């Protein structure tokens, strides 16, 4: 087919159109700012508070901020927003750095701590006082709340608001010098007690807190409030686009007020997007914290959680999380994403990259009565869809193990696996025909018997006859006993984190431990974080905490099947 020049031009412009349309709203804002000269570069940051481990929601924010900086050839800062010494801990600083590095967001040498700017923040507060835009208040926290009014009622003036600039300077300095107890005095911005936006009704910007800070020690006994500190941090670092989540939308006028009143030459711009929520799991830091503190999970990295450390330990990869975040997109309205989409992403990432091995989670012995003495080695491809992964040799003999539920003495209709009289394929090995089983006194099957067809080596039909079932196996003598762990979600945030009596609404089946699983010999050397497909059973990852040399513990990352369909 021939296409004329104008046809080609038309396609190009249509492509271009699609490009602009598919840009998310944040990219559109940035494009506009660059075009209009509001800024000439893009500089973003990720500003966690070191008060817990990061979770999948944070991963979205990290990858968004880092991704924008990369995309526009700009810079990305890693900044700890450590202005509240009450809840912050050094442990969290380290875990957060580890998680972000693992995700691949490289801050290079751009690691900052908001607490390093306490001096500038203090000066900024003094500047506001000098401009008559801040005053020291003697009201208690309760009184401040009471004076603030409500959505329908304007606030009342704080008696402190009529203080002279000189008095405010003196009192603020005395606050800094430790003359006042916690809560005795605060510094408030003087904005508008009648503002329809309650955040603008003379917000507190500094408080007294006699507390040791993890970074600055006892140097300070006054600490800035988040809404005052954050814009200053952004401005000092030259951030152009300060991306945060939707709950800060109503705080934006205050953000703008702070950067305007402090007369920063290049004021940063706050942009809000919707938080990522996942169905069937808990994402809130405080809920995760509760599970950890009550010992319900075995730490912040328990594989049932969706903290980044937990996802890593479970066997998720940075690529799978990136794919997930990309599929979620960026939006202005809150909604939940199906947890199955995250599972889809890890399957997509691993299916061609990882070898497909045989592991029997709940074994029962299979004896091939007509198999001769001795063993043979079978060459088995590691991944039929990816030849570059090569192959391995697996011993095969008279005695094997198969999954207990791959045999039924009296099968229902449409059961195509092993039952007396039925022929199935042992994966990559031979056709076998079941002849019966042996049971113990309680009636449990202890051994299954079969005969094999020597002409079906490799699992190929010798004469065109078909079998409906293919089951996996491990050789009885060489198989390695390992622990495998299967998971379900621990708490479903949507169904309610708490029961009516205030207890946590836990899923009793969130963890199943199988201590008698058997894997083929090659898996004995699995290293922590190494992952595999166990044919028919799912993707598994060697646990980084509980695996021992030669005795790995395998966490199921995800099963193989899903009814999930990728949304358009
Ligand atoms: P949580 O609500 O889970 O306690 P947080 O917002 O208090 O989290 P911060 O350490 O203050 O945690 O957050 C650091 C950054 O991550 C902020 O910019 C915040 O907006 C962003 N963030 C937090 N949770 C999510 C989420 N679920 N989706 C997207 N971004 C998030
Ligand atoms: Mg927070």
């Amino acid at each position: 087919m021939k296409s004329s020049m104008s046809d080609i031009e038309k396609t190009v412009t249509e492509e271009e159109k699609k490009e602009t349309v598919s840009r998310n709203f944040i990219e559109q804002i940035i494009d506009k700012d660059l075009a209009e000269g509001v800024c000439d570069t893009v500089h973003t940051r990720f500003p966690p508070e070191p008060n817990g481990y990061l979770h999948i929601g944070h991963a979205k924010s990290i990858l968004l901020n880092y991704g924008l900086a990369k995309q526009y050839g700009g810079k990305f800062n890693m900044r700890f927003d450590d202005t509240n010494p009450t809840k912050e801990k050094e442990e969290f600083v380290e875990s957060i750095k580890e998680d972000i590095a693992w995700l691949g967001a490289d801050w290079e040498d751009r690691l900052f701590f908001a607490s390093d700017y306490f001096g500038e923040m203090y000066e900024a507060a003094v500047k506001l006082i000098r401009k008559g835009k801040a005053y020291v208040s003697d009201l208690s926290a309760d009184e401040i709340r009471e004076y603030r009014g409500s959505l329908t009622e304007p606030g009342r003036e704080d008696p402190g608001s009529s203080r002279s600039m000189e008095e405010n300077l003196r009192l603020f300095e005395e606050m800094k010098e430790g003359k006042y107890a916690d809560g005795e005095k605060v510094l408030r911005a003087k904005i508008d007690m009648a503002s329809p936006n309650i955040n603008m009704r003379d917000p507190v910007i500094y408080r007294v807190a006699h507390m040791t800070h993890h970074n600055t020690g006892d140097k300070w006994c006054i600490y800035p409030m988040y809404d005052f500190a954050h814009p200053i941090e952004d401005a000092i670092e030259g951030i152009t686009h300060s991306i945060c989540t939707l709950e800060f939308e109503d705080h934006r006028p205050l953000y703008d007020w702070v950067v305007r009143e402090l007369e920063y030459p290049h004021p940063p711009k706050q942009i809000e997007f919707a938080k990522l929520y996942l169905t069937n799991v808990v994402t809130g830091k405080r809920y995760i914290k509760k599970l950890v503190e009550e010992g319900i999970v075995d730490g912040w990295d328990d594989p049932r959680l969706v903290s980044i450390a937990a996802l890593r330990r479970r066997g998720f990869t940075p690529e799978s999380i990136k794919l997930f975040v990309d599929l979620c997109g960026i939006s202005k309205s809150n909604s939940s994403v199906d947890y199955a989409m995250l599972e889809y992403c890890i399957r997509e990432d691993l299916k061609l990259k990882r070898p497909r091995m045989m592991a029997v989670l709940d074994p029962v012995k299979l004896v091939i009565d007509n198999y001769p003495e001795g063993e043979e080695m079978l060459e088995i491809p590691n991944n039929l869809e990816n030849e570059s992964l090569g192959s391995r040799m697996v011993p095969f003999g008279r005695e094997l193990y198969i999954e207990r539920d791959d045999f039924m003495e009296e099968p229902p209709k449409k059961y195509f696996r092993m039952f007396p009289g039925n022929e199935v394929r042992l994966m990559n090995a031979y056709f076998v025909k079941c002849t019966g089983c042996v049971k113990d006194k309680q009636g449990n099957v202890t051994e299954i018997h079969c005969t094999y067809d020597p002409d079906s080596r490799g699992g190929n039909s010798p004469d065109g006859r078909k079998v409906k079932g293919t089951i996996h196996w491990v050789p009885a003598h060489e198989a390695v006993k390992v622990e495998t762990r299967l998971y379900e979600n621990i708490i479903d945030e949507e169904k309610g984190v708490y029961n009516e009596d205030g207890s946590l609404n836990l899923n009793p089946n969130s963890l199943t431990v199988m201590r008698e699983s058997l894997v083929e010999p090659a898996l004995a050397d699995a290293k922590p974080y190494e992952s595999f497909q166990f044919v028919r059973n799912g993707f598994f990852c060697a646990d980084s905490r509980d695996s021992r040399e030669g005795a790995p513990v395998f966490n199921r990352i995800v099963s193989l099947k899903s009814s999930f369909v990728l949304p358009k």
Side-chain angles (χ1 to χ4, degrees), residues 411-441:
K413 268 197 176 147
K414 298 212 170 158
Y415 184 85
F416 301 122
R417 291 172 271 167
M418 244 190 201
F419 56 88
N422 191 39
E423 187 171 51
V424 298
R425 174 189 290 109
L426 288 177
M427 194 174 281
N428 297 305
Y430 291 98
F431 280 22
V432 292
K433 190 167 196 168
C434 182
T435 52
C437 66
V438 179
K439 288 191 272 190
D440 64 11
K441 284 201 195 87

Side-chain angles (χ1 to χ4, degrees), residues 456-519:
S456 61
R457 194 171 194 271
N460 303 312
S461 174
D463 53 8
R465 76 178 187 272
K466 295 224 160 55
V467 291
K468 280 205 167 136
T470 298
I471 65 180
H472 62 280
W473 50 273
V474 292
H477 300 295
E478 292 83 355
V480 180
K481 195 195 273 190
V482 299
E483 180 174 319
T484 53
R485 297 173 181 168
L486 311 182
Y487 302 105
E488 284 178 22
N489 299 319
I490 186 160
I491 287 188
D492 184 336
E493 213 162 46
E494 299 207 327
K495 288 203 184 112
V497 174
Y498 296 106
N499 296 313
E500 266 168 29
D501 65 358
S503 60
L504 286 164
N505 185 11
L506 299 172
N507 172 3
N509 303 318
S510 64
L511 171 64
T512 306
V513 179
M514 319 274 282
R515 294 209 165 79
E516 305 288 323
S517 298
L518 293 171
V519 296

Side-chain angles (χ1 to χ4, degrees), residues 26 44-49 54-69 76-79 100 103 105 226 230 241-248 271-276 308 321 324-326 328-330:
I26 299 181
T44 59
R45 86 286 173 262
F46 176 67
E49 204 186 330
L54 299 182
H55 54 62
I56 182 86
H58 296 114
K60 177 167 187 172
S61 173
I62 294 161
L63 294 171
L64 170 65
N65 280 291
Y66 175 70
L68 287 168
F76 168 73
N77 286 10
M78 168 67 222
R79 181 208 307 148
I100 298 176
L103 276 176
Y226 180 87
H230 205 84
H241 298 87
S242 174
I243 298 167
C244 64
T245 41
L246 232 41
E247 72 272 24
F248 289 102
I271 305 173
E272 310 85 18
F273 72 104
K275 271 194 171 176
L276 169 68
I308 295 177
I321 293 174
F324 174 69
V325 164
D326 287 346
C328 289
I330 305 296

